[in-house]
Amino acid sequence: MTFNGNWKIDRNDNYEKFMEKMGINVVKRKLAAHDNLKITIQQDGNKFAVKETSNFRNLEIDFTLGVTFEYSLADGTELSGSWNMEGDMMKGIFNRKDNGKQLTTTRIVQGDELIQSYNYEGVDAKRIFKKD
């Protein structure tokens, strides 16, 4: 249950370029870079309850590993996909509903950090969270 806990955004790496590639407008990109995102993760076997709290929205997501579910990003982009475990890493593969393109997200815990990585159309980005 490595992922369990409260995580607060600490820093971003290439997040602006990633959001630009995703088609998010400049105003939303600037706001998102300073969203004060907090994630609470509770794992029970292969079931996860995730709460996301930011300056812009609060969201609760319940999912089971390997089971497809629907999800909307903060900018309204709708996705469909699932999370799976690959060793000690969570890997999510999601398809955009508007254009069918794939977004890959991974989460891994290293020390006291949760590293959330993204790949969309060849652009990689990371958001690094610290235990809150």
Side-chain angles (χ1 to χ4, degrees):
M1 310 308 155
T2 308
F3 296 95
N4 281 352
N6 299 314
W7 304 92
K8 182 178 168 120
I9 189 68
D10 183 58
R11 62 195 185 279
N12 297 315
D13 180 21
N14 208 40
Y15 194 54
E16 173 102 11
K17 288 276 185 217
F18 164 75
M19 289 187 292
E20 184 178 356
K21 188 69 171 179
M22 288 281 294
I24 298 168
N25 75 45
V26 68
V27 173
K28 288 183 179 178
R29 289 198 310 264
K30 296 293 182 197
L31 292 171
H34 304 285
D35 61 1
N36 291 317
L37 181 61
K38 292 180 184 175
I39 300 175
T40 300
I41 300 175
Q42 291 298 319
Q43 180 182 1
D44 182 11
N46 64 350
K47 294 184 185 294
F48 284 78
V50 179
K51 292 180 184 174
E52 296 181 2
T53 307
S54 73
N55 292 340
F56 309 109
R57 72 172 185 169
N58 297 329
L59 183 66
E60 294 187 24
I61 311 154
D62 295 320
F63 63 88
T64 302
L65 294 174
V67 177
T68 299
F69 67 99
E70 312 288 311
Y71 177 70
S72 291
L73 300 177
D75 75 328
T77 302
E78 293 186 3
L79 306 169
S80 178
S82 65
W83 287 98
N84 286 289
M85 292 299 294
E86 292 185 4
D88 58 357
M89 177 181 70
M90 286 177 69
K91 183 175 185 179
I93 298 178
F94 299 92
N95 290 305
R96 289 178 61 146
K97 290 185 172 185
D98 59 350
N99 64 16
K101 294 180 180 176
Q102 189 174 89
L103 167 65
T104 303
T105 304
T106 61
R107 287 178 177 151
I108 191 161
V109 174
Q110 292 180 340
D112 67 342
E113 294 184 331
L114 170 70
I115 301 166
Q116 191 160 285
S117 302
Y118 307 92
N119 177 276
Y120 181 75
E121 298 239 286
V123 176
D124 294 308
K126 290 183 182 174
R127 300 198 86 189
I128 296 100
F129 297 81
K130 294 273 194 189
K131 274 267 181 166
D132 195 17

